[in-house]
Amino acid sequence: MEIEIYADVVCPWCWIGKRRLEQALESYDGEVTVRYRPFQLDPTPVTEPKPLVEAMGAKFGGRQRAEAMFAQVAQVAAGVGLEMRFDRAVHSNTFEAHRLIRFATERGRATETIDALYRAHFTDGIDVGSKDALVKLAAEVGLDEAETREYLDSNVGRREVAADLAAAHQLGVTSVPTFVLAGKYAVTGAQEPETLLAALREVAQRESAA
């Protein structure tokens, strides 16, 4: 079964959802292929990085409200073994990060790269909109540093990532994470592992009966 994950690397629920899917797959007997599809929570260009809590405070009605929201999400994340330090996180545009994921996917390093991007943003306070930071992260997961730099400095992959982002909206993806199973069954949100496992088994049964 193919599982397509529509997600953004600055989406906390996407990281939680990815971990919960991994937990569900530990109990799933069928074979799966996971493919990562890009989505941007906010495509607005970021001219100058600033603390995420400051950016979200302006969006959600004040810093105190943003901090309370982040504290709740961090607690949920800790429950699945993820450390989220919103006090360190930097507001970033993720288009270049999605280009890096495409580059890594072509070289068999998608999962490692995505995990590194989540940790960089949520745990280490790294600006994942910075090409220099992306090149460094790529090297840490085994990608060639010079090749990555050349790729990110070029226009290669830009059109494809833009097309993928547009396709997500055309398919009706409005929130992430969204898991598309077998190309036609959508599960939205960071569902519990048991819910995801039940969905996997139900889709597998439907597909085998088709």
Side-chain angles (χ1 to χ4, degrees):
M1 183 192 309
E2 181 175 83
I3 304 173
E4 297 172 275
I5 306 176
Y6 289 85
D8 198 359
V9 296
V10 294
C11 164
W13 292 107
C14 292
W15 197 14
I16 293 168
K18 180 178 180 295
R19 175 58 59 87
R20 286 177 172 174
L21 175 65
E22 290 166 350
Q23 292 173 336
L25 289 175
E26 290 175 3
S27 302
Y28 181 67
D29 296 330
E31 292 186 11
V32 301
T33 300
V34 177
R35 300 193 186 281
Y36 301 96
R37 306 298 189 195
F39 188 91
Q40 282 192 288
L41 289 176
D42 184 0
T44 307
V46 176
T47 54
E48 186 175 344
K50 60 182 176 181
L52 182 65
V53 67
E54 181 181 324
M56 293 300 101
K59 187 174 182 180
F60 292 115
R63 184 186 183 98
Q64 188 173 5
R65 186 171 179 181
E67 287 177 340
M69 179 179 67
F70 288 155
Q72 183 179 13
V73 177
Q75 186 174 11
V76 175
V80 291
L82 302 176
E83 182 185 9
M84 292 191 179
R85 292 289 307 271
F86 288 100
D87 57 317
R88 298 176 179 173
V90 178
H91 181 51
S92 308
N93 181 284
T94 56
F95 187 86
E96 295 300 325
H98 286 301
R99 283 184 69 214
L100 176 60
I101 292 169
R102 184 180 185 85
F103 175 80
T105 300
E106 293 170 351
R107 288 151 182 80
R109 290 282 191 275
T111 300
E112 301 95 316
T113 301
I114 290 167
D115 284 337
L117 285 164
Y118 280 130
R119 283 194 303 272
H121 177 70
F122 288 109
T123 308
D124 300 329
I126 293 170
D127 177 12
V128 295
S130 161
K131 286 184 183 179
D132 289 339
L134 294 176
V135 169
K136 184 176 179 181
L137 286 174
E140 290 173 359
V141 298
L143 293 168
D144 183 86
E145 187 170 346
E147 188 182 8
T148 305
R149 170 73 68 182
E150 183 179 0
Y151 180 88
L152 291 176
D153 284 344
S154 73
N155 289 318
V156 178
R158 288 185 180 278
R159 185 179 300 175
E160 290 82 0
V161 170
D164 286 346
L165 290 167
H169 288 286
Q170 289 168 3
L171 286 170
V173 177
T174 57
S175 64
V176 285
T178 292
F179 306 94
V180 178
L181 311 181
K184 51 188 172 182
Y185 303 96
V187 178
T188 58
Q191 302 293 336
E192 294 288 346
E194 296 78 13
T195 302
L196 291 168
L197 180 59
L200 287 165
R201 288 174 172 165
E202 182 179 350
V203 169
Q205 188 173 12
R206 288 188 187 184
E207 290 298 288
S208 63

